[in-house]
Structure formats: structure tokens, C-alpha cells
Amino acid sequence: MPTRSFPADLVNRVRNLKLVDVLNALCTYCSQDRTYEPKKNPDSKVFIVEVNGKRFNNLLITGDRWFDLETKKGGGGAIDLVMYLRQISFVQAVKLLSLLEKKEAEEEEDDL
């Protein structure tokens, strides 16, 4: 039985989606903690998000990296973030993000 995999360009595209955009699109609640003062990188931001009834109170986002300050778990890219927040597999995360990417592309076309 042949193995099925996603095209590498699709995986790279969805992995590189902006994490803040992914949070805003896929979380039932998303708010930036405006009181957070970055210690190392001035571009770091902390978010409070809720996904499927589970709340994450200290999700640090710096560029394409994320870190949950409470659980001390982190990773890189949108695929890892979605897998963590939604507790889903790699395949499910790529499918979900590819739908999000498609929706965003359609909205951009509509704006033109």
C-alpha cells in the first residue's frame, strides 16, 4: 500500500502561517496580554486563548516560535501550535491549516 503524504510546499506554507493570525482564526477566544513586558525579544507577545473549552493563559509568541509559559512546552510553526492547542495529529493540523490558508486566499481575492 503506497504511503500518502502532503506536498512539501503545502506543509511549508501552512507551517509558516503567522501564528497570531492562526490564533485569531482558530481560537474561540484570543486576547493579547498588554501588560506583558518582553525580557529578551521586544517582538514577543503573550496571549490568552481558549480552544475547544480549554484555556491557555500565557502563550508566548515570538515570530514563528511559541511557548506555553504555564506548561513549559513550546515549538515552532503553525502546525506545532495547532497540534498542541487542539490536541490533534499532524495530518489533522495540516488539513485544518490548509483550509484556513484557502479561506484567507479567497478573502484576499474578494478584496481585490
Side-chain angles (χ1 to χ4, degrees):
M1 180 175 187
T3 59
R4 295 182 184 175
S5 60
F6 296 106
D9 65 318
L10 171 65
V11 173
N12 287 330
R13 280 195 326 267
V14 298
R15 179 178 288 127
N16 292 320
L17 291 172
K18 292 182 181 178
L19 300 185
V20 175
D21 293 344
V22 170
L23 290 178
N24 285 317
L26 300 179
C27 295
T28 52
Y29 175 81
C30 178
S31 178
Q32 182 179 342
D33 179 355
R34 304 274 181 204
T35 65
Y36 175 74
E37 295 181 23
K39 293 172 182 58
K40 293 181 182 177
N41 188 326
D43 295 330
S44 294
K45 296 175 175 60
V46 169
F47 291 86
I48 298 110
V49 299
E50 187 172 307
V51 181
N52 296 335
K54 185 170 182 188
R55 191 170 178 103
F56 300 86
N57 290 315
N58 290 298
L59 193 63
L60 177 70
I61 304 287
T62 306
D64 65 348
R65 309 288 299 166
W66 62 271
F67 189 77
D68 185 336
L69 296 168
E70 289 182 354
T71 63
K72 308 289 189 233
K73 294 181 181 178
I79 297 171
D80 280 349
L81 179 61
V82 171
M83 288 172 59
Y84 176 72
L85 294 176
R86 293 226 169 173
Q87 295 296 296
I88 59 177
S89 70
F90 175 84
V91 170
Q92 291 169 313
V94 171
K95 287 180 180 179
L96 182 62
L97 289 168
S98 66
L99 290 173
L100 176 63
E101 179 192 41
K102 183 178 178 182
K103 181 180 175 188
E104 286 181 357
E106 289 171 355
E107 288 175 357
E108 285 180 14
E109 283 181 13
D110 290 343
D111 290 343
L112 296 177

